[in-house]
Amino acid sequence: AKLRYLRSLAEHVVDGSLKLDQLEHLSDEEVMAELLAVKGIGPWTAQTFLMFHLQRPDVLPVGDLGIRRAMMIEYGLPALPGPAETEQIAQAWRPHRTLACRFLWRTLHATPVPGSSRRPVQTAETSSSSATRNEEPQPQAAITLGFSTLKPAP
């Protein structure tokens, strides 16, 4: 399947229906439409292309599980937010949603702060390794990235 997707991308570039050198001059919506026309390129791929290759400042990949998991942790949600809830939460971050997403991804790999009052997120790895050593799981990282300023007002 991936070979077909690469061929589709190559065909779009060769036949001129996808002009890679022109994408930077298009709006986010136009870039998305151009990329989504290629078989195998979905919304997440197009959005991350906007974020990382074109350096667009206000992109929110609502289907990204890392973003949604980080939102769940940072906002104390009982479950992963769906795309609509993700979009609603991120409204307060406009026009800097790309930067907020980068911070959110980073929180998933942050180093725990000793004495943090944050509760850990239980995963199969943390619960089994802690249980076998009879230790409490380490608290999730407490970071000061200014998420309180990114959270919508009550």
Side-chain angles (χ1 to χ4, degrees), residues 24-114:
E24 67 185 280
H25 304 293
L26 302 177
S27 70
D28 291 355
E29 294 77 18
E30 291 169 323
V31 172
M32 290 286 294
E34 292 287 321
L35 293 175
L36 293 174
V38 177
K39 184 174 180 72
I41 295 182
W44 181 86
T45 302
Q47 289 163 335
T48 55
F49 182 85
L50 283 167
M51 294 171 83
F52 296 106
H53 184 71
L54 297 179
Q55 300 290 307
R56 300 295 172 91
D58 194 36
V59 179
L60 177 69
V62 296
D64 187 277
L65 292 177
I67 296 296
R68 292 169 53 203
R69 182 170 181 266
M71 279 184 163
M72 180 184 75
I73 294 166
E74 293 301 321
Y75 286 84
L77 303 174
L80 284 177
E85 186 177 6
T86 299
E87 185 76 43
Q88 181 183 12
I89 290 169
Q91 283 301 314
W93 307 342
R94 284 183 176 273
H96 306 289
R97 294 181 300 172
T98 296
L99 180 60
C101 288
R102 293 178 80 113
F103 283 146
L104 286 169
W105 278 316
R106 187 71 180 143
T107 66
L108 296 174
H109 304 287
T111 304
V113 175

Side-chain angles (χ1 to χ4, degrees), residues 73-74 106-120 138-147:
I73 294 166
E74 293 301 321
R106 187 71 180 143
T107 66
L108 296 174
H109 304 287
T111 304
V113 175
S116 170
S117 62
R118 298 198 41 179
R119 296 296 308 150
Q138 292 297 309
Q140 189 69 18
I143 56 171
T144 56
L145 294 176
F147 280 105

